[in-house]
Amino acid sequence: MNLFLTLFSGAAITAGVAFFIAGTVALLRFPDPLSRLHALTKADSLGLGLIVLGLLPWAGGWLAALKLILVWLLVLLAGATATQMIAEHIRRSEPPP
Amino acid sequence: MEATPGGFLLVLMLVVPVTGLLLGFALGGRLAERMALWLLPPGLAMAAVLVAGLLHAKAPVVAFVGGWAPPLGLALRADGLAAAMLLTTALIIAAIALFARADYTTAPGAPEARAPLAFWCFLLALWAALNAAFLGGDLFNLFVALEMLTFGALALACLDGKATQFKAELRYLLFALIGSVLYLLGTVLLYGAYGTLDILLLAEAARADAPTIVAASLMTVGLLGKMALFPLHLWLPAAHAGAPPAASALLSGLVVKASYVLLLRLWFWVMPAALLLAVAPILALLGAAAILFGSLVALRQARLKLLVAYSTVAQIGYLFLMFPLVAGSAAEVAERAWTGGALQAISHAFAKAAMFLAAGVIARALGHDRIAELQGAARIAPLSVLAFGLAGLSLMGIPPSGGFSAKWLLLQAALDSGQWWWALVIVAGGLLTGGYVFRVLSAAMQGRSAPIFPLAPVDAAQERVALGLAVISVLLGLLPLGAFGLVLIGR
Amino acid sequence: MAEALLLAAGLIFLAALAGLYRALRGPGAADRMMAAQLLCSGGIAALLLLAAATGLAGVVDVALVLALLGAFASVAFVLAARGLGQR
Amino acid sequence: MSLVLDVMLALAVIGVAGWTLLVRGNFPAVIGFVAYGLLLALVWVRLGAVDVALTEAALGAGATGVLLLFAVVRLRGGKAEIDAATPSPPQRVAAAILCGVVGLGLAVAMLNLPDPAPSLAAEATRHLPLLGVGNPITGVLMAYRGLDTLLEAVVLVFAVLAIWSMAPDRRWGAIPGPLFPVQSSGPLSLLARVLPPIGIVVGIHIAWVGADAPGGKFQGGTILAAMGILAWVAGLWRLPPVASRGLRWAVVAGPLVFIGVGLLGFVIADGFLSYPPGFAKPLILLIEAAMTLSVAAAIVLMVAGPPERPA
Amino acid sequence: MIFGVTGAALVALGLYGLVTQPALLRKILAFNLLGGGVFLLFGVVARRGAVADPVPQALVITGLVVAFAATALALVLVLRLFQITGAATIAEDKTPP
């Protein structure tokens, strides 16, 4: 059981790290702001979600686990709203050619 | 060091004005003014009782806040110097409160206005901050006290809401903030080196190693910036001259002294004697430069308030002459120099407060403060001109006055310790001071015959307050020197 | 286990730092805000991993505060950028 | 591994600081500053100072960042004037040398601190059972160095009043800060409705656990303040005017309760700010509760600024 | 000790910015950078012993609050100066009043 959990966590966290790195690469390489934004938020909210998932079994207590999930939900919420606002800002300030 | 009976008095000296400020702010309007005026008598009484108790017991009063002894806890200590400064503070605050009643009163039933509320609250705030700065026994606690002082002074100085004030006070704030940061850097190094920030415990432990030397230099530069010793005086003239008269009197008379007392504590308590001996001549040299430079520039000022502010730059210089005279001198000479320095701080506080208040009254009456056009001032505001003159006597060091006693003691100590060159500076400074005070007085005395009408009526009560402060600065010189044994207690 | 978690934290942190390069370059305010956002979520992830690795009490709370204020700061950034654009 | 992480962090902090100083444009500089605060919070975690990390994240990066950001929007300085105030190259070189000397001196001093390091850790922990609190930092802030904390609480009141008193006379009694249009729909409105309830719970949680775990009034109060500011910028909450007595009592309640409990010590214990055995924890919690409210109110008001629109 | 040197470097950087930056806003920003460095030194001092010393950490919390208040106050002064005169620096006026 324990081994299984460890493997599961390892996989989830590795995947999470990979998503973060992908997000950064996207931020650095993609040509226009909107596509960068698109790639970035997906990457980091999913990446964080996977890491939280990986850490959940080790949280030690349901309160601590709840806190982890809350962190993730907050980041999701922030990502969703901020992204939309940034997108709106881009649209306003840089009209498409 | 143990806590002593009577320590509760020290706590109350902090808590009473703070509570007054909080309640005054919350209740607002006329009650803020009432609160400040009500607290003057108990505040004065506490300071007087403290001084009397100290003179009686001949030992400092100590309180451990919350019962926690240093190094873990915080100590409040009132030695002779602190007690003398506390009484000076209480007297000057009371005088300024009486002076300001004419300017910042709220009529019964009138809506609350900005300037009066801010003035009365910050008067109490500055009082609390000054008390905290004189009583603090812990270097970090003193940092918080200095920050309180900066904020309060800043708010009072900007009270008129003029752009020139904002500019001058921003410059002051930047100097003060850099000063605070340098001071804070010193405290972190001292904590790292000794594991305590209590002044007396540090005094027992201090060594002359790298962290201590770096800490001492950072803290000294920071405090010198806060008290505007030449060449870090750039912010002072505009900041002090631009403020409303009541605020200028507080800033020039008292606020710079808080950093001074802290600097004394740092060097004469905390730092090892060897370091002090090396640094004292440098400080005194800067002081001498401040005296000569400040006085010369004051002599050339066209505006009365700027002249008074540059006079502060010069008079601060005298405070530093005591460093080499106390350090490494025979006990008797050191005591004389110490008393002279402390007396200079006190008599300058009274004299400069009187001068700024008098200058404020004159400027208001004439509608300007150009020295060349002061004719008739002596007829419109005779008591204010008299107050200016008396305060000037004290600053010059003409007997009998507090300033004379102070400068005489420093002069004697300089000659007795064989450092005659400081004596020359003292004499030259006195002559230059005479020059600029005389310039103002002669301009104010002119124009006896031409009819002159004041722009605004002169408030007799305000004139009397200014005169009262000037008289105190003179009377200090009539007290027997033994009375100043107070400032030697706990040295 | 702890070492592996630290390694993961380090990698994520490095990625977020590289993203900060975008903030250095710009060009628009939007890119800078994105970089700050990435640094914030990267920081949160690194903190969660650190908390698991060291077992230090309260580190998750720091992540929680960052998550809350990160959302708040992004909103403030956009509002401010809007204000700049309008004038 | 930890060493690598620390070196990386240190380099990042210095790099971001340098960039914040040098970058053209105020807006990017503030973003740089927020990133700097975030990195510092990580550094504090690495130093094992979780209480400070919380404070840095909430107050240092969050609240200060927003404060600076609002200022950037409202300040747009003239170019010529900036050039006139820019120091000449020789002055800059002199400043660089001077600052370099200070930095070098500090580094030397830090490296020469005595070993073993003097520390009050044992002493601070030893008396904790007497206070009934588990977090030694709360012990220092609320008991051993309670006076520092009291004065600092008063400094916040000073700052609020000082900021208000900078307003023009005719604006006295008005509502602080600029006006934000009501957001009835859109992402900001959603966030401003969803986040504050969560934030308030988290803020109270952080303030509450402070007695035994990292947290406390300043951190919790800052989070509450951030939620208030969010509701304010979304137009969902109107700030009360500065004439409001309720608002003023909210600002001074914390320090007043602090002083009240302190004075109570004269009667029921050994003097000012001393707690009677057995009652230390409830009294500390009482002060913390009142202070959380006041800190939150003070921070909202400091971010909002002087009164500027009629009530 | 890495962070000790970092703190010293931040202090030097912040001080340099505070002295040389012309715009007031940037000076205030530099002051905050400087503050971060100073507090970091406190943290390093707290960390030197075998057990973390809570006293310097508590001092930092106090210091952070005071620095925040100072920043708020300075910014309001800058803002008011700007509103009245349009000035964003405290350069000496060319023509004395």
Side-chain angles (χ1 to χ4, degrees):
Chain A
M1 186 65 196
N2 220 334
L3 181 71
F4 172 73
L5 273 185
T6 310
L7 283 178
F8 166 76
S9 287
I13 292 174
T14 312
V17 173
F19 267 103
F20 264 98
I21 293 173
T24 302
V25 172
L27 188 61
L28 294 179
R29 306 287 310 202
F30 278 13
D32 65 304
L34 276 177
S35 56
R36 286 198 287 262
L37 189 64
H38 181 80
L40 162 76
T41 37
K42 282 222 174 62
D44 68 358
S45 26
L46 203 59
L48 189 70
L50 284 168
I51 287 171
V52 166
L53 200 64
L55 290 175
L56 273 185
W58 315 96
W62 62 271
L63 198 65
L66 212 62
K67 226 186 240 176
L68 284 180
I69 294 174
L70 182 62
V71 170
W72 180 54
L73 286 178
L74 281 175
V75 170
L76 269 188
L77 181 68
T81 47
T83 308
Q84 207 171 337
M85 288 178 78
I86 294 177
E88 209 175 309
H89 171 76
I90 294 172
R91 200 167 41 104
R92 261 190 221 182
S93 56
E94 301 158 24
Chain B
M1 173 80 44
E2 294 287 314
T4 58
F8 71 92
L9 202 59
L10 308 186
V11 170
L12 286 183
M13 291 184 89
L14 293 188
V15 170
V16 168
V18 165
T19 314
L21 149 81
L22 295 174
L23 290 177
F25 174 50
L27 296 169
R30 196 173 153 74
L31 286 167
E33 179 186 347
R34 301 275 99 182
M35 193 64 73
L37 293 174
W38 281 332
L39 290 182
L40 293 179
L44 273 168
M46 284 191 292
V49 168
L50 182 68
V51 167
L54 229 69
L55 282 174
H56 179 71
K58 301 249 179 296
V61 177
V62 181
F64 293 155
V65 182
W68 302 100
L72 197 56
L74 292 175
L76 296 175
R77 287 196 194 89
D79 52 11
L81 181 65
M85 291 311 296
L86 289 169
L87 187 59
T88 306
T89 304
L91 283 168
I92 291 179
I93 295 260
I96 285 171
L98 295 180
F99 179 91
R101 283 186 71 183
D103 296 341
Y104 298 111
T105 193
T106 310
E112 177 184 279
R114 178 190 64 90
L117 179 78
F119 177 81
W120 294 110
C121 286
F122 278 114
L123 187 70
L124 287 172
L126 269 190
W127 196 359
L130 284 164
N131 285 355
F134 293 133
L135 286 172
D138 178 280
L139 290 178
F140 187 82
N141 191 247
L142 284 165
F143 162 77
V144 182
L146 286 184
E147 291 296 274
M148 287 170 76
L149 207 56
T150 303
F151 289 12
L154 195 74
L156 275 184
C158 291
L159 216 52
D160 291 346
K162 284 189 284 206
T164 46
Q165 283 181 350
F166 288 131
K167 202 165 214 169
E169 300 312 323
L170 259 167
R171 204 172 296 147
Y172 164 54
L173 181 62
L174 287 175
F175 265 89
L177 288 180
I178 296 181
S180 306
V181 167
L182 294 180
Y183 177 84
L184 202 56
L185 281 170
T187 59
V188 64
L189 292 179
L190 289 179
Y191 188 89
Y194 304 105
T196 179
L197 289 173
D198 184 80
I199 289 175
L200 290 190
L201 291 179
L202 280 174
E204 289 166 15
R207 308 169 293 260
D209 55 4
T212 314
I213 292 172
V214 175
S217 19
L218 290 171
M219 292 171 100
T220 305
V221 174
L223 290 172
L224 293 185
K226 271 177 181 280
M227 57 187 297
L229 178 65
F230 178 88
L232 300 174
H233 64 281
L234 294 169
W235 60 267
L236 187 139
H240 284 190
S248 307
L250 268 173
L251 295 179
S252 249
L254 288 172
V255 172
V256 286
K257 306 290 163 42
S259 306
Y260 175 63
V261 169
L262 182 44
L263 194 72
L264 290 184
R265 299 213 184 283
L266 183 67
W267 281 105
F268 289 103
W269 273 265
V270 175
M271 291 303 153
L275 277 186
L276 172 61
L277 275 178
V279 170
I282 302 174
L283 289 175
L285 205 64
L286 290 176
I291 295 174
L292 299 177
F293 171 85
S295 304
L296 280 172
V297 178
L299 211 48
R300 292 180 36 228
Q301 288 305 306
R303 310 287 286 250
L304 181 57
K305 284 181 164 186
L306 274 172
L307 179 145
V308 181
Y310 271 107
S311 150
T312 299
V313 172
Q315 294 286 326
I316 285 171
Y318 283 102
L319 298 173
F320 289 86
L321 293 185
M322 86 185 239
F323 278 82
L325 302 179
V326 174
S329 298
E332 198 191 340
V333 177
E335 272 184 11
R336 210 172 287 149
W338 179 269
T339 313
L343 191 53
Q344 163 70 12
I346 294 167
S347 72
H348 173 253
F350 284 110
K352 191 47 62 70
M355 250 186 184
F356 260 121
L357 295 184
V361 173
I362 295 172
R364 172 97 47 85
L366 294 178
H368 69 82
D369 71 337
R370 290 183 291 277
I371 297 169
E373 299 164 35
L374 281 182
Q375 311 91 314
R379 263 197 304 154
I380 299 174
L383 292 184
S384 302
V385 175
L386 181 61
F388 194 94
L390 285 178
L393 287 187
S394 188
L395 292 189
M396 280 182 248
I398 303 246
S401 68
F404 165 73
S405 305
K407 278 148 201 157
W408 182 248
L409 284 167
L410 287 172
L411 202 74
Q412 268 190 320
L415 294 176
D416 288 350
S417 62
Q419 306 180 49
W420 50 270
W421 47 92
W422 304 129
L424 283 185
V425 175
I426 295 173
V427 171
L431 287 176
L432 289 170
T433 313
Y436 62 73
V437 172
F438 178 73
R439 226 187 110 211
V440 173
L441 288 181
S442 72
M445 295 292 191
Q446 275 170 12
R448 283 174 190 278
S449 51
I452 191 143
F453 302 101
L455 234 68
V458 174
D459 188 301
Q462 289 197 328
E463 287 206 280
R464 281 199 291 273
V465 170
L467 187 61
L469 286 172
V471 167
I472 295 179
S473 81
V474 170
L475 285 183
L476 278 173
L478 293 177
L479 288 174
L481 272 182
F484 301 114
L486 174 66
V487 298
L488 294 172
I489 294 175
R491 187 170 76 84
Chain C
M1 182 71 190
E3 281 291 300
L5 288 175
L6 274 182
L7 178 71
L11 281 175
I12 289 178
F13 181 67
L14 205 61
L17 273 189
L20 210 58
Y21 169 79
R22 178 49 78 183
L24 294 163
R25 290 282 307 279
D31 288 299
R32 304 186 200 278
M33 287 187 274
M34 278 186 250
Q37 206 187 325
L38 179 66
L39 187 65
C40 186
S41 46
I44 291 169
L47 276 175
L48 292 181
L49 290 167
L50 265 180
T54 59
L56 210 59
V59 177
V60 178
D61 280 347
V62 181
L64 194 59
V65 170
L66 277 187
L68 257 178
L69 292 181
F72 170 66
S74 315
V75 169
F77 277 144
V78 180
L79 277 182
R82 233 183 239 173
L84 283 174
Q86 275 170 4
R87 270 167 223 210
Chain D
M1 188 63 226
S2 347
L3 190 71
V4 177
L5 202 62
D6 285 355
V7 171
M8 225 156 70
L9 251 178
L11 289 178
V13 170
I14 295 176
V16 169
W19 182 74
T20 305
L21 275 182
L22 296 177
V23 66
R24 272 182 194 286
N26 292 337
F27 188 72
V30 174
I31 293 194
F33 176 73
V34 172
Y36 172 78
L38 219 145
L39 291 173
L40 274 187
L42 292 178
V43 172
W44 284 110
V45 170
R46 292 296 306 154
L47 285 170
V50 180
D51 285 272
V52 184
L54 275 172
T55 319
E56 176 66 51
L59 203 59
T64 310
V66 171
L67 201 62
L68 287 164
L69 206 58
F70 282 10
V72 167
V73 182
R74 308 178 77 186
L75 277 172
R76 305 188 76 189
K79 181 81 181 63
E81 190 204 12
I82 298 274
D83 287 342
T86 307
S88 62
Q91 281 172 323
R92 263 187 282 182
V93 171
I97 293 172
L98 211 64
C99 298
V101 168
V102 170
L104 213 63
L106 271 177
V108 169
M110 289 300 289
L111 294 173
N112 280 299
L113 287 178
D115 242 346
S119 162
L120 292 173
E123 188 78 354
T125 323
R126 195 156 59 85
H127 299 291
L128 279 186
L130 231 66
L131 297 169
V133 295
N135 182 357
I137 293 180
T138 303
V140 176
L141 284 175
M142 297 307 296
Y144 315 138
R145 300 184 68 99
L147 187 64
D148 271 355
T149 313
L150 172 60
L151 292 184
E152 166 198 18
V154 175
V155 165
L156 287 179
V157 180
F158 271 38
V160 169
L161 181 55
I163 286 170
W164 284 3
S165 73
M166 306 286 169
D169 273 322
R170 66 197 149 81
R171 289 285 180 237
W172 190 252
I175 295 175
L179 181 69
F180 290 92
V182 182
Q183 306 277 326
S184 48
S185 64
L188 178 56
S189 159
L190 173 77
L191 197 67
R193 280 168 219 275
V194 176
L195 205 57
I198 305 173
I200 288 170
V201 173
V202 173
I204 293 175
H205 164 77
I206 300 264
W208 176 256
V209 299
D212 295 308
K217 54 204 168 301
F218 293 116
Q219 299 90 335
T222 310
I223 296 170
L224 294 185
M227 295 306 114
I229 295 167
L230 185 60
W232 171 55
V233 298
L236 299 176
W237 179 43
R238 277 171 64 94
L239 291 182
V242 299
S244 152
R245 290 291 177 272
L247 185 67
R248 292 196 192 172
W249 282 111
V251 174
V252 301
L256 272 182
V257 169
F258 209 150
I259 291 177
V261 172
L263 290 174
L264 199 65
F266 277 128
V267 186
I268 57 173
D270 305 333
F272 189 71
L273 275 182
S274 129
Y275 309 106
F279 287 94
K281 188 166 182 187
L283 286 175
I284 288 176
L285 286 178
L286 176 69
I287 298 175
E288 293 252 334
M291 280 299 303
T292 306
L293 171 76
S294 291
V295 168
I299 289 176
V300 171
L301 293 172
M302 279 192 257
V303 171
E308 31 187 285
R309 52 205 162 94
Chain E
M1 266 305 120
I2 299 168
F3 291 127
V5 177
T6 309
L10 290 178
V11 168
L13 265 176
L15 215 49
Y16 175 75
L18 194 50
V19 176
T20 58
Q21 289 277 1
L24 282 165
L25 184 86
R26 302 301 289 270
K27 276 188 195 289
I28 296 172
L29 213 72
F31 165 71
N32 275 289
L33 294 176
L34 172 58
V38 178
F39 297 136
L40 198 54
L41 294 180
F42 273 92
V44 173
V45 162
R47 195 62 201 160
R48 290 180 67 241
V51 192
D53 188 346
V55 175
Q57 296 184 9
L59 299 185
V60 172
I61 294 179
T62 305
L64 273 168
V65 176
V66 172
F68 175 76
T71 306
L73 198 55
L75 282 175
V76 170
L77 273 174
V78 175
L79 203 61
R80 289 289 294 143
L81 182 67
F82 177 71
Q83 282 173 347
I84 299 176
T85 67
T89 69
I90 43 169
E92 295 284 350
D93 296 322
K94 295 271 152 44
T95 47

